[in-house]
Amino acid sequence: GAMLVGGLASAYALFIVYKFYELSDVIIDRQGRQAQYPQFADFAMASVYCAGFTAIHFFARELLRPVARVFLVKKGKWSDEVYEAKLHRFGSAIFKAVWFGSFSLYTYAVVLKDASWFPPILGGTGDSKNCWSEGYPFQLLTEEFRFYYCLATGYHASELLFQLAFERDRPDLAEM
């Protein structure tokens, strides 16, 4: 099981590196034509966010253990190992709920609020026709959007890292 997961992860990583290499000329060309096009340096910022989210996730999981013990009463059929796993998952679930709630509010209140293509029916001030007319396919990438993408990339990379570093012993690792 673990060897298969490791082999698949390695094959996927090689595939991603190959595709990145294959597309690098196209990306460099587009970066030269438009200053607002995402830069390779954005990955460095996403890596910093990844490290931060991984640490926060780990500490949140540990700090929420006493709260988890209050809400999760150990059942007689659970072994100590199962109970500890449930306590860890409780902390992870709270971390993810806070992250997605906060990120959704940030996305709506800061990133989308003034987007020229975000329609009033969804709370914006723009028109969805602008999504396909304002410089398509190279629309202006605002600093808010750049930060949004770096933050989201950092979070999702941290979840992958967290799964591989701290939750390898879970029986559902391959599905995750």
Side-chain angles (χ1 to χ4, degrees):
M3 296 266 305
L4 177 62
V5 171
L8 289 174
S10 298
Y12 185 69
L14 285 173
F15 175 75
I16 294 298
V17 168
Y18 170 74
K19 281 299 185 185
F20 186 74
Y21 175 74
E22 191 177 78
L23 291 173
S24 63
D25 290 336
V26 174
I27 293 168
I28 290 169
D29 178 54
R30 288 183 181 177
Q31 287 173 337
R33 283 193 273 149
Q34 185 190 24
Q36 291 295 322
Y37 200 82
Q39 303 295 312
F40 289 116
D42 294 340
F43 285 111
M45 188 54 82
S47 298
V48 170
Y49 296 141
C50 173
F53 284 130
T54 302
I56 292 168
H57 189 165
F58 179 80
F59 289 118
R61 189 175 76 166
E62 296 304 317
L63 291 173
L64 289 168
R65 287 173 74 85
V67 177
R69 289 186 192 283
V70 170
F71 287 103
L72 295 174
V73 179
K74 184 178 178 187
K75 295 182 181 176
K77 63 182 179 179
W78 292 347
S79 67
D80 288 339
E81 184 179 344
V82 169
Y83 185 60
E84 287 298 315
K86 290 188 180 291
L87 295 177
H88 281 287
R89 287 186 184 182
F90 179 90
S92 287
I94 296 297
F95 167 76
K96 290 174 186 180
V98 169
W99 156 254
F100 281 112
S102 303
F103 192 62
S104 295
L105 285 173
Y106 166 76
T107 301
Y108 182 74
V110 176
V111 178
L112 295 178
K113 179 181 72 165
D114 296 324
S116 66
W117 47 264
F118 197 57
I121 196 162
L122 296 175
T125 57
D127 188 346
S128 60
K129 286 187 269 183
N130 293 337
C131 185
W132 307 108
S133 61
E134 291 185 353
Y136 178 81
F138 301 107
Q139 290 96 338
L140 179 67
L141 181 66
T142 64
E143 285 304 311
E144 290 85 10
F145 268 106
R146 182 180 304 278
F147 180 70
Y148 169 86
Y149 286 123
C150 288
L151 204 60
T153 301
Y155 171 77
H156 290 293
S158 79
E159 283 299 302
L160 176 63
L161 180 64
F162 195 84
Q163 289 283 325
L164 294 176
F166 301 112
E167 299 185 346
R168 292 197 77 150
D169 55 345
R170 287 177 50 170
D172 60 349
L173 177 67
E175 289 86 4
M176 299 305 279

